[in-house]
Amino acid sequence: MGIVPNLNSDQLQFFHSHGYLVIESFATPDEVHAMRNRMELLLHGFDCSTSSVFSTVNQLSTDDYFLQSAENISFFFEEKAFGENGNLKQGKELSINKVGHALHELDPVFKSFSDSEKFSGLLLSLGYKRPIAIQSMYIFKQPGIGGEVVPHQDNSFLYTEPTTCTGLWLALEDANTTNGCLWAIPGSHKNGLVRRFLRGDKGVYFDQPSPTYDKKDFVPIEVKAGSLVVIHGDVIHQSFENQSPKSRHAYSLHVVDTEGCVWAQDNWIRRKVQLEPLYET
C-alpha cells in the first residue's frame, strides 16, 4: 500500500476527546491557489439557468437538481442572492452558496488533492480500512449573504451501519468569527447520533426534530488558509451567517468506510457508479 499514518498520539487524543482536530498548513499555498483558481474557471463557465438554491434552514425543499448532484458538479445559489424581481442582485461569482457534490471525482484539480497520500495517511491514522470520499463541496460563504449552516452531525446525512463518516474541511481563506468560521460543541460526539436525514418515495426528511442547543456550549474554530479541520461524524457543529465584507472559501470532503460497515440505502445519495476506495488495507 505504501501509505503511512500521519497523525501523532497527541493529535489522535485531542480528536477522540473533542470530536475535531485542526491541522495547520495541511494544504500548501500552491494547492490553495490551484483550487481557488480552478473554481473561478468553473464559475465563469457555468450557465445560471442550470442551478438551484441551497439552504440548511429549508433543507427539505430539495429538487431533482440537488438529488442528481451526488454524481455531478452542480451549482447552488444563496437564498439571499435574488431580488424581488427574481434576478440576481449581483454577479454570479458573489451569489453562489456552494458547488458539489462530485468535484473530487470529476474535476482533475480537486481529484488530485482529494486523492493525495496526506489524506490517506490521515484516514489510516483514524482506522479506516477501505475509505471512499462520498461527497465534496466548495463552499463560498459569500460576503454579506453567506448563509447560516444550522447545528448538525455529518453522520445524519451520510449514514453507515456502524457509523463511519468523517468530515475534512479545508480553509481556502482565513476563517474567523467575523466571516463565518466553524463552531463545534467539544465532546458532543460521545453522545451519539441524534437524527437521520432520509430519502423516501416522497422526497427527503428528518426522522426526528432537531434538538435545541445552548449557544454557550459551542466554541469557535478559527483557522488560517491551508488549515484542515477534521470533524467526527457525530460532533455537533455549525457556522453562522457571514455578515462581513469578506468571503470565507472552503473545500469540504466527507469520507466513509466500506469495510466492516454497510451504506444505508435510504441515504439521500443514490449513486449509479460505485466509487473506488482511496486505499485498501
Side-chain angles (χ1 to χ4, degrees):
M1 183 175 61
I3 299 168
V4 179
N6 56 18
L7 295 182
N8 60 42
S9 58
D10 288 340
Q11 289 174 313
L12 287 169
Q13 182 178 6
F14 188 96
F15 177 75
H16 292 308
S17 172
H18 290 72
Y20 65 88
L21 172 71
V22 174
I23 304 174
E24 297 179 350
S25 303
F26 184 84
T28 67
D30 285 345
E31 288 171 327
V32 170
H33 186 69
M35 284 184 277
R36 293 197 62 185
N37 276 358
R38 180 58 181 161
M39 183 49 63
E40 188 176 332
L41 286 173
L42 291 173
L43 274 179
H44 179 75
F46 107 94
D47 180 359
C48 290
S49 65
T50 57
S51 60
S52 184
V53 173
F54 180 79
S55 167
T56 68
V57 178
N58 301 310
Q59 204 151 22
L60 302 186
S61 59
T62 53
D63 53 19
D64 287 342
Y65 184 82
F66 174 83
L67 295 175
Q68 293 166 6
S69 70
E71 295 181 284
N72 291 303
I73 297 175
S74 303
F75 298 79
F76 300 90
F77 283 109
E78 289 283 359
E79 277 191 299
K80 296 183 178 180
F82 297 90
E84 292 181 2
N85 60 2
N87 296 325
L88 290 175
K89 296 178 183 177
Q90 51 192 357
K92 61 183 180 181
E93 294 82 3
L94 292 173
S95 303
I96 289 289
N97 171 290
K98 70 174 184 178
V99 176
H101 289 93
L103 284 162
H104 65 290
E105 180 185 7
L106 301 177
D107 184 87
V109 173
F110 289 95
K111 179 176 174 56
S112 175
F113 183 73
S114 305
D115 289 350
S116 63
E117 284 195 4
K118 55 187 168 185
F119 268 128
S120 294
L122 186 159
L123 295 171
L124 190 61
S125 298
L126 295 178
Y128 280 84
K129 303 296 186 185
R130 193 177 183 272
I132 58 170
I134 192 65
Q135 73 171 24
S136 55
M137 296 176 283
Y138 190 107
I139 307 164
F140 295 84
K141 208 70 163 180
Q142 300 286 6
I145 64 169
E148 171 191 13
V149 176
V150 299
H152 66 282
Q153 298 166 295
D154 292 338
N155 273 327
S156 295
F157 303 90
L158 304 167
Y159 184 78
T160 62
E161 179 61 50
T163 55
T164 61
C165 182
T166 296
L168 305 168
W169 191 95
L170 180 76
L172 298 177
E173 294 182 293
D174 294 353
N176 51 54
T177 55
T178 303
N179 69 347
C181 70
L182 295 174
W183 293 68
I185 301 179
S188 56
H189 62 299
K190 298 175 184 178
N191 299 323
L193 185 61
V194 173
R195 62 178 183 161
R196 287 190 56 205
F197 184 72
L198 304 172
R199 179 175 172 182
D201 294 337
K202 297 182 179 180
V204 295
Y205 60 97
F206 285 102
D207 64 350
Q208 301 287 338
S210 176
T212 301
Y213 299 103
D214 193 329
K215 291 183 178 179
K216 69 176 175 53
D217 291 336
F218 287 86
V219 299
I221 306 175
E222 298 185 290
V223 294
K224 295 292 186 182
S227 297
L228 182 75
V229 184
V230 186
I231 305 170
H232 189 285
D234 279 345
V235 84
I236 307 294
H237 60 291
Q238 66 173 345
S239 65
F240 295 108
E241 191 174 36
N242 181 10
Q243 299 179 344
S244 80
K246 182 173 174 55
S247 60
R248 192 227 63 190
H249 290 201
Y251 176 59
S252 175
L253 196 67
H254 288 93
V255 176
V256 296
D257 215 339
T258 60
E259 184 172 311
C261 61
V262 178
W263 175 258
Q265 295 304 306
D266 52 4
N267 281 325
W268 80 267
I269 289 182
R270 306 271 177 92
R271 289 190 58 91
K272 297 175 183 176
V273 178
Q274 296 303 308
L275 289 161
E276 290 295 318
L278 295 170
Y279 63 81
E280 298 184 64
T281 58

